[in-house]
Amino acid sequence: MSSPEASPTHLRRHFPSPFLLRRSSFSAVVGSCRFPSVRFPHCHPSQLLRLVSSPPSFLHATTTDFRGRPTKIPAILEQEAQETVDPPPGSPVKIVAFVGGGSVSPLKSATWEEVMLHTAKRLKWVDEAYEMLVFTDELEESDSGRTKILETELESADILLVVAVTNQASIDWIQNKGKLVPNVICFDSSSKLVNKLGGTDVQKESKDVVETVAEAWSRHNTDDIRFCLLVVINAYIRPVPILKNLRSKGFSTLTCMVKNCGSQILDCLFDPNCRKALQCLNRCSPVDQVCNYRCIASYESPKLEAFSLCVLQKHNCLELDAKIPEKPSVDPMAAFRGQEMTHEIAEDLFVGWLGKLEWSWRVVAGQNPAYDQFPCQYQLFYRGKAKGSFWYEPVFQVKTLEGGAMVWRRRKYRVKRDKLPGTFNFSVLDNGVVSNEFWTIVDVCDELTWGLFHYKGAARVAGQSYTGAVLVSPDGRFPSEKERKRVASALEKCGIKEWELFEVDNCSCHDPPLGIPDGSALHSAIDVRDLKLASN
């Protein structure tokens, strides 16, 4: 994991936008197989598809990633039943991060110190007992007190995470003081530093965990950075419950599929698009949601939907049970234009510009690494014909894997009010799998020139849970500079930094398949007829 040239460029990104290349990532473990601003529960765990398309490779827990390199991620995450008993509540895990002073990360040039401090907070969303302390390598002899604190913390550390350390004095210090730490993982640092797992020195190619962690780190986003640490904790310290959904089930899964879904499996294998989807997914790492999603979006078909509906949704052959994350807990905005928030006002805020424009909102940027990099995202919110019904239809583009053509995709979500005005429950049957989400209207400015919506959700039988947020505007452009402080404050309520956002490419969005059903209704409490688009 250390770079021979001490440069982050050796860790390749899979897509131009950080993965959040999605955005990629490990929303697979903490993210979903859907498109955050456009949920997609269909990121089927690739071990399921390997059972159908190549059973031997699955049973040996080996496969290749979508670049054709060998990987053994299923084996890393697989544990026998007696080994997956959750530890007692509060069982502590201590991580010490040692970061090159002033070093800059690929995340919009945020410093690595900032990224690690933020990661420490995000780890608490998984387990309050996870503690990560962050130090820079600017250790001066005159600051003996700070150095002593670091030495003391290392004595009880489970993991030493070294990032962007190239200074020889710092290297010598780590080699001397880090000897007793059982797990040492190094990124973008000197090749003189050696990775260690379970108390044993490892070479990059010699350990499955190292390969998994290195691949996730290469995506350079906060979801995958956190995932790297969770994999090491799970493998060498104590089980991480949210990783259970990535562990393979073996013959019980295959038996369930053959017994209940034989015809759907055969139909899929004899259908060109469905078969290509399986083969494509078989080449993806199970924790690379961008790869998984692009396979689904490129080759989606009725046969693939029937396959997923039977194997996952109806019979849950993977025996998964993902739940909507409890954290972060985000409060909805309390008032709009001086009026206390009501369910009617909240729905109107979702409806947004629809009626004055052909869409409610366009997505400017999103936090979820797996999906928000997809171009040309339109949101359509409207009231249905049935009393009290409310719908959400995202429209977006996907670049297909064959020929690189851009294709439009559209989904439909049922939306129901939650107890607190400004909060909603979304649900969709997408490619054969049900996804449920909890949305919060965090903030919308009075002129409707921008809004921030937070979400957290789960595709239960696909074993995927996720969180994220989307920044929206009527024209897909960032809010003006005078609004940036308020936007940053809204993001902070969600535990999101502005440098985590991934910008959506809203150019070349020709002929989107918009429109809503006849008889649909729009606003009931807010008048947008006199609103004018703000010029940027």
Side-chain angles (χ1 to χ4, degrees):
M1 287 173 278
S2 297
S3 166
E5 292 144 2
S7 167
T9 58
H10 76 290
L11 294 175
R12 299 188 298 274
R13 288 189 185 177
H14 309 322
F15 292 83
S17 60
F19 154 93
L20 282 187
L21 82 151
R22 231 140 258 339
R23 263 168 208 187
S24 158
S25 155
F26 199 58
S27 279
V29 77
V30 289
S32 128
C33 294
R34 64 185 206 340
F35 187 24
S37 51
V38 179
R39 318 308 144 197
F40 296 103
H42 45 26
C43 286
H44 311 330
S46 57
Q47 55 262 53
L48 164 67
L49 300 161
R50 277 191 289 277
L51 279 170
V52 177
S53 58
S54 55
S57 67
F58 167 80
L59 295 176
H60 288 89
T62 61
T63 183
T64 57
D65 63 19
F66 72 100
R67 292 172 301 284
R69 301 179 307 183
T71 179
K72 298 182 180 180
I73 292 176
I76 295 168
L77 299 171
E78 184 176 10
Q79 296 186 15
E80 296 299 328
Q82 63 267 25
E83 295 178 339
T84 59
V85 177
D86 291 344
S91 178
V93 174
K94 179 184 284 188
I95 304 165
V96 172
F98 195 63
V99 182
S103 57
V104 177
S105 78
L107 283 75
K108 293 188 177 178
S109 297
T111 67
W112 273 119
E113 183 180 12
E114 290 179 282
V115 174
M116 290 299 111
L117 288 170
H118 188 55
T119 300
K121 294 180 180 179
R122 289 173 58 87
L123 280 169
K124 293 288 186 181
W125 296 355
V126 179
D127 193 324
E128 284 289 340
Y130 295 165
E131 179 183 19
M132 186 164 93
L133 305 174
V134 181
F135 298 84
T136 65
D137 70 345
E138 298 165 317
L139 300 175
E140 302 291 341
E141 292 184 6
S142 58
D143 191 7
S144 59
R146 180 170 170 271
T147 303
K148 184 62 177 177
I149 292 173
L150 174 54
E151 292 178 359
T152 301
E153 296 297 346
L154 280 178
E155 291 175 0
S156 58
D158 297 293
I159 300 172
L160 171 59
L161 172 63
V162 182
V163 182
V165 173
T166 59
N167 179 279
Q168 186 59 50
S170 299
I171 294 168
D172 295 340
W173 192 93
I174 292 171
Q175 291 173 333
N176 180 34
K177 302 296 183 180
K179 291 179 180 178
L180 298 180
V181 182
N183 303 288
V184 180
I185 48 179
C186 311
F187 294 106
D188 301 350
S189 298
S190 170
S191 58
K192 297 177 182 178
L193 293 170
V194 178
N195 297 297
K196 184 168 56 174
L197 293 172
T200 304
D201 292 349
V202 296
Q203 298 299 320
K204 184 174 181 179
E205 295 78 16
S206 65
K207 289 289 185 178
D208 292 346
V209 171
V210 177
E211 292 176 0
T212 303
V213 171
E215 182 189 5
W217 182 273
S218 71
R219 291 190 281 265
H220 288 141
N221 66 83
T222 51
D223 279 359
D224 279 317
I225 289 171
R226 181 176 64 172
F227 171 61
C228 291
L229 296 170
L230 295 178
V231 167
V232 175
I233 292 171
N234 182 73
Y236 293 98
I237 302 171
R238 65 176 173 87
V240 177
I242 64 172
L243 296 191
K244 287 181 179 179
N245 286 331
L246 293 180
R247 298 178 184 128
S248 57
K249 303 297 181 181
F251 280 109
S252 64
T253 295
L254 184 57
T255 300
C256 172
M257 292 170 62
V258 173
K259 177 182 177 181
N260 299 296
C261 306
S263 62
Q264 289 84 355
I265 293 172
L266 289 175
D267 286 346
C268 182
L269 293 177
F270 283 104
D271 177 77
N273 271 352
C274 192
R275 186 172 63 252
K276 287 178 181 179
L278 296 187
Q279 293 168 341
C280 181
L281 285 160
N282 189 46
R283 292 190 294 270
C284 292
S285 158
V287 297
D288 187 343
Q289 287 188 50
V290 172
C291 180
N292 280 276
Y293 175 65
R294 290 188 70 193
C295 290
I296 294 292
S298 294
Y299 303 113
E300 63 181 41
S301 67
K303 301 295 185 183
L304 182 61
E305 181 174 1
F307 172 91
S308 302
L309 182 64
C310 183
V311 173
L312 294 175
Q313 195 61 48
K314 289 185 176 179
H315 298 287
N316 193 13
C317 289
L318 286 181
E319 304 170 42
L320 301 177
D321 188 20
K323 294 178 174 58
I324 296 176
E326 295 182 2
K327 296 180 181 179
S329 178
V330 181
D331 294 329
M333 62 187 303
F336 179 73
R337 293 179 182 170
Q339 289 185 282
E340 183 178 358
M341 182 62 66
T342 65
H343 290 296
E344 290 74 22
I345 291 176
E347 289 176 347
D348 279 4
L349 293 179
F350 269 152
V351 174
W353 289 88
L354 189 59
K356 189 176 180 67
L357 299 174
E358 293 183 87
W359 53 84
S360 298
W361 298 97
R362 297 187 67 178
V363 178
V364 178
Q367 184 273 336
N368 189 293
Y371 316 100
D372 298 335
Q373 92 283 9
F374 293 103
C376 301
Q377 298 180 39
Y378 295 82
Q379 294 184 328
L380 301 170
F381 289 94
Y382 58 91
R383 292 176 167 87
K385 296 180 181 179
K387 183 178 180 181
S389 64
F390 196 76
W391 301 93
Y392 166 52
E393 297 196 38
V395 177
F396 56 98
Q397 281 188 336
V398 173
K399 187 176 183 179
T400 60
L401 293 170
E402 286 191 3
M406 300 301 295
V407 296
W408 288 103
R409 295 290 187 242
R410 181 165 176 161
R411 304 291 188 253
K412 186 170 184 176
Y413 291 76
R414 181 183 298 276
V415 181
K416 293 186 177 181
R417 300 170 178 177
D418 201 62
K419 295 179 181 179
L420 190 64
T423 60
F424 298 85
N425 295 296
F426 285 43
S427 63
V428 64
L429 177 64
D430 186 359
N431 278 286
V433 176
V434 171
S435 183
N436 293 299
E437 300 175 0
F438 182 78
W439 282 54
T440 300
I441 297 179
V442 184
D443 200 1
V444 178
C445 74
D446 287 356
E447 296 78 18
L448 298 186
T449 53
W450 66 271
L452 183 69
F453 308 145
H454 182 268
Y455 59 83
K456 48 188 179 181
R460 186 182 67 85
V461 298
Q464 304 293 338
S465 60
Y466 47 89
T467 66
V470 285
L471 178 65
V472 299
S473 71
D475 54 9
R477 298 180 184 179
F478 264 92
S480 62
E481 281 299 322
K482 66 179 181 179
E483 294 283 1
R484 297 299 279 266
K485 184 176 181 180
R486 182 171 168 181
V487 171
S489 177
L491 289 169
E492 191 66 31
K493 293 178 182 178
C494 306
I496 296 172
K497 299 295 184 182
E498 191 170 348
W499 44 261
E500 287 187 270
L501 296 179
F502 300 89
E503 298 180 26
V504 172
D505 181 359
N506 282 312
C507 301
S508 303
C509 303
H510 303 301
D511 302 320
L514 303 174
I516 59 176
D518 292 338
S520 302
L522 302 179
H523 306 87
S524 67
I526 295 176
D527 191 347
V528 299
R529 287 179 299 176
D530 298 327
L531 290 175
K532 297 180 180 180
L533 290 175
S535 58
N536 292 332

